[in-house]
Amino acid sequence: MNHTNSKPYWENIYSTKDTKKVGWFQPRPALTLSLMEELAIPKDSQIIDIGGGDSHLVDFLLADDYRNVTVLDISTKAIEKAKLRLAEKSKLPDWIVSDIREFEPHRQYDLWHDRAAFHFLTEEADISNYVETAKNGINENGLMIIGTFSDKGPDTCSGLPVMQYALEELQQTFSPYFETVRSFNIDHITPSGLSQNYSFCVFRKK
């Protein structure tokens, strides 16, 4: 395990940086919300946001009457920030502080969402373990929305190396247990104005 990609590293990131200025920040996760609308995700769906931390996705899901929302992040500080922002609504989601490499789902989810967490896994064993964890944590015919840096995107993020995935590579990685519903590339504009190319896939569990 790369010690720099560990809990103390991320606790420091979320303790010292303004989350609204980090490269992955989105004031409104428009793409995810659009995909969920397109996929007609029911309001009572069990949803988990992997690496959700201080992301604002949970805010919009709660505002749209999704109540069975789980947010998982390696950083306690990131989740504390989200809870503070949500105030009374912070009692509604389930919050899990865990390294995804050590996460053992105790339920199965209808929608597994991961934007920019999976690509931090650079060891083959960790990648394979993630695929197994997702398989175990998603209901039969459940969906996964996953976004990573593309083969044309950055090779580092927040000072850490990342894996870059062409669409075909991302699909192949999850192909043992998932079929592709949709795949596409899209540019994310960071708060500082940089363009980062992402590979996005929507998968359905076989």
Side-chain angles (χ1 to χ4, degrees):
M1 181 183 295
N2 184 344
H3 73 280
T4 59
N5 193 6
S6 63
K7 184 175 175 63
Y9 184 88
W10 288 106
E11 296 293 11
N12 180 64
I13 290 289
Y14 281 102
S15 297
T16 59
K17 292 186 180 294
D18 181 352
T19 308
K20 292 183 179 179
K21 295 181 180 178
V22 295
W24 60 84
F25 178 72
Q26 294 177 306
R28 182 178 184 273
L31 175 59
T32 296
L33 297 173
S34 174
L35 287 172
M36 289 181 64
E37 183 177 359
E38 180 183 308
L39 294 164
I41 304 298
K43 301 295 185 183
D44 61 351
S45 296
Q46 291 285 346
I47 299 169
I48 186 167
D49 188 17
I50 303 297
D54 197 25
S55 160
H56 286 210
L57 176 60
V58 62
D59 306 51
F60 286 91
L61 293 180
L62 294 177
D64 201 21
D65 293 327
Y66 287 97
R67 287 295 180 264
N68 299 319
V69 180
T70 299
V71 180
L72 178 144
D73 202 276
I74 194 173
S75 169
T76 302
K77 183 65 176 177
I79 286 178
E80 286 175 353
K81 283 186 171 185
K83 287 181 175 180
L84 186 63
R85 185 182 68 246
L86 287 166
E88 275 298 304
K89 284 190 174 183
S90 67
K91 298 175 182 177
L92 297 174
D94 287 333
W95 303 94
I96 299 175
V97 177
S98 176
D99 187 326
I100 187 60
R101 293 169 292 192
E102 300 167 359
F103 178 50
E104 296 181 5
H106 295 298
R107 70 177 68 166
Q108 289 189 309
Y109 298 91
D110 303 303
L111 176 64
W112 178 290
H113 176 265
D114 180 335
R115 177 185 171 273
F118 175 65
H119 63 201
F120 282 105
L121 302 181
T122 58
E123 302 293 331
E124 186 175 338
D126 291 335
I127 293 168
S128 297
N129 182 66
Y130 182 106
V131 176
E132 288 284 337
T133 301
K135 183 257 293 185
N136 294 334
I138 298 177
N139 282 319
E140 185 177 354
N141 294 318
L143 294 163
M144 172 193 288
I145 298 173
I146 189 160
T148 71
F149 282 157
S150 79
D151 53 329
K152 297 179 178 64
D155 57 11
T156 64
C157 181
S158 200
L160 295 176
V162 298
M163 288 289 287
Q164 300 161 299
Y165 289 90
L167 290 175
E168 297 78 10
E169 294 170 322
L170 192 56
Q171 292 174 60
Q172 184 63 33
T173 300
F174 287 89
S175 63
Y177 308 117
F178 297 88
E179 61 183 8
T180 303
V181 176
R182 185 179 170 195
S183 64
F184 56 93
N185 292 113
I186 192 167
D187 288 326
H188 163 66
I189 307 301
T190 71
S192 62
L194 296 175
S195 178
Q196 299 176 334
N197 194 249
Y198 274 73
S199 288
F200 264 85
C201 284
V202 178
F203 294 116
R204 187 180 300 278
K205 185 176 172 182
K206 293 178 180 177

